Amino acid sequence: MKTLQVGDKAPMFTLPDQQGEAVSLETLLKQNRVLVYFYPKAMTPGCTVQAQNLRDTRDQLAKKGVVVVGISPDAPKRLAKFTERDSLNFTLLGDEDHKVADAFGVWGPKKFMGREYDGIHRISFLVDKNGKIAHVFDKFKTKDHHEVVLEALESLDK
């Protein structure tokens, strides 16, 4: 697993959102920086806390010119349920074949309760308007991910 780093070109992608509509990173970057956050599975406890906090700070992120996109290996139908259940106000994308996760270097071996398997590592990337990785968020707890992102934006925008 080779995770993208600051300065790397972000892979351009198009994935289905929670309504099954195609969303491309290229289109999103025309107006904003994009926080691409990868999470393992919709409607699980950690992923829910992370998503709710991003939902609650959406306006603060928007004021800083950042739009949020969450990516998991879930099908659009499950993403729609997650969006509705938690009143999420940002786009969730389904990467069922994990090709985008592979391209960003966040798909790889994991361990849980002594069992090894391949899955998404919880890592986020701030992609600037030029399509380059401006910041990598890989050290945070799900409950404070939004705070770590806002703090980094404060430093980057000085």
Side-chain angles (χ1 to χ4, degrees):
M1 189 172 98
K2 186 179 180 319
T3 305
L4 293 180
Q5 299 300 312
V6 171
D8 289 345
K9 192 88 173 135
M12 290 298 124
F13 61 81
T14 301
L15 289 171
D17 70 5
Q18 60 266 47
Q19 275 82 46
E21 301 292 322
V23 174
S24 76
L25 180 59
E26 187 176 11
T27 300
L28 294 171
L29 288 171
K30 287 181 181 173
Q31 298 180 5
N32 302 288
R33 294 180 287 180
V34 179
L35 177 68
V36 178
Y37 89 95
F38 289 90
Y39 64 100
K41 189 169 181 152
M43 298 190 284
T44 55
C47 296
T48 296
V49 168
Q50 185 178 16
Q52 289 171 340
N53 288 332
L54 287 168
R55 172 198 67 200
D56 295 345
T57 55
R58 179 181 173 215
D59 290 346
Q60 290 170 271
L61 292 164
K63 284 178 186 164
K64 296 189 172 297
V66 176
V67 65
V68 175
V69 174
I71 300 178
S72 72
D74 295 302
K77 193 173 183 177
R78 184 171 176 91
L79 299 176
K81 286 181 188 172
F82 190 28
T83 300
E84 186 178 330
R85 185 193 79 176
D86 292 282
S87 302
L88 300 180
N89 54 10
F90 54 87
T91 302
L92 297 179
L93 301 174
D95 184 22
E96 292 182 84
D97 59 9
H98 60 81
K99 284 186 179 164
V100 175
D102 279 331
F104 275 81
V106 300
W107 184 268
K110 296 177 80 170
K111 252 187 187 173
F112 182 69
M113 295 177 68
R115 187 174 73 89
E116 282 194 38
Y117 61 97
D118 282 344
I120 282 188
H121 289 254
R122 195 182 299 275
I123 300 174
S124 301
F125 302 86
L126 180 65
V127 182
D128 70 20
K129 287 185 180 182
N130 298 316
K132 294 229 172 162
I133 305 296
H135 197 87
V136 178
F137 302 93
D138 57 359
K139 297 197 176 13
F140 59 86
K141 291 182 172 47
T142 55
K143 67 180 187 259
D144 66 9
H145 177 240
H146 63 295
E147 293 168 351
V148 171
V149 170
L150 287 169
E151 286 169 15
L153 287 170
E154 285 294 324
S155 297
L156 288 169
D157 293 346
K158 283 185 179 176

